[in-house]
Amino acid sequence: MSDRLETWRPAGEWRSGDRGVIDVWWCALTSSADSLAAKLAMLTAPELARAARFRREVDRVAYVVVRATLRARLGACLGLAPAAVPLTETARGKPVLRGAGPRWECNVSHSGEIGLVAVAWDRAVGIDVEAHRANIAVRDLGQAFLSPREHAALDLLSQGDTDMAVVS
């Protein structure tokens, strides 16, 4: 992806506290050295330690970019600097706000060159993104995880349509 996609793109104008609204931002997971340094400055010591444990640089950068942007989005909601957002995570790694303050819910996902952040007021939210991988045996994957009826339906589709049907 090009550097021009390095900034976050809101799905719409921010509606602080609108019930029933889930805002989603996407991000290219590339970052210049200056931009990465600014994002690292938003993270807490435990987040920096977690980032340092990634073996691959691409995974470390993805974590930093997505986590810093989550902090920036939640900071805008709470009227706080990104580094001051009381963000922690569950035992399974889902980000959550610490304490009994406003009930903002959030989640993040990243894969390949894309990251996603979802934020909602007073409702649980989850999000997932997966990069397309041409080397996956989609029919075998479908057979392992789909019902016999769904697998039979796949047999009626072309390979390209099968790929889209399984991942949709």
Side-chain angles (χ1 to χ4, degrees):
M1 300 211 141
S2 72
D3 288 340
R4 69 182 176 80
L5 297 177
E6 188 173 333
T7 58
W8 285 84
R9 311 294 175 143
E13 292 299 316
W14 184 253
R15 296 165 301 276
S16 180
D18 268 359
R19 292 184 186 270
V21 174
I22 298 172
D23 284 299
V24 176
W25 291 266
W26 71 272
C27 176
L29 297 178
T30 58
S31 197
S32 67
D34 290 342
S35 177
L36 187 60
K39 289 174 176 73
L40 284 165
M42 295 180 196
L43 303 187
T44 63
E47 290 168 333
L48 292 170
R50 181 174 177 186
R53 288 192 301 268
F54 285 99
R55 291 177 187 239
R56 297 183 330 145
E57 179 71 7
V58 67
D59 296 328
R60 184 180 76 83
V61 170
Y63 173 79
V64 168
V65 169
V66 170
R67 193 63 169 217
T69 305
L70 174 62
R71 288 186 155 282
R73 293 290 91 215
L74 288 172
C77 297
L78 299 168
L80 297 172
V85 172
L87 191 61
T88 187
E89 56 190 39
T90 67
R92 300 190 77 185
K94 182 177 179 177
V96 293
L97 285 172
R98 192 174 41 242
R103 194 166 146 67
W104 287 102
E105 297 283 339
C106 57
N107 206 328
V108 299
S109 180
H110 57 83
S111 181
E113 297 179 351
I114 303 256
L116 297 177
V117 169
V119 176
W121 174 256
D122 202 27
R123 73 177 335 168
V125 64
I127 196 160
D128 191 32
V129 62
E130 292 296 329
H132 174 73
R133 293 177 178 90
N135 63 344
I136 292 178
V138 174
R139 287 188 186 272
D140 294 342
L141 184 65
Q143 188 170 17
F145 294 101
L146 301 177
S147 71
R149 186 172 143 210
E150 291 167 324
H151 186 67
L154 287 181
D155 289 338
L156 302 174
L157 301 174
S158 69
Q159 184 63 45
D161 290 339
T162 299
D163 293 354
M164 288 306 295
V166 169
V167 298
S168 297

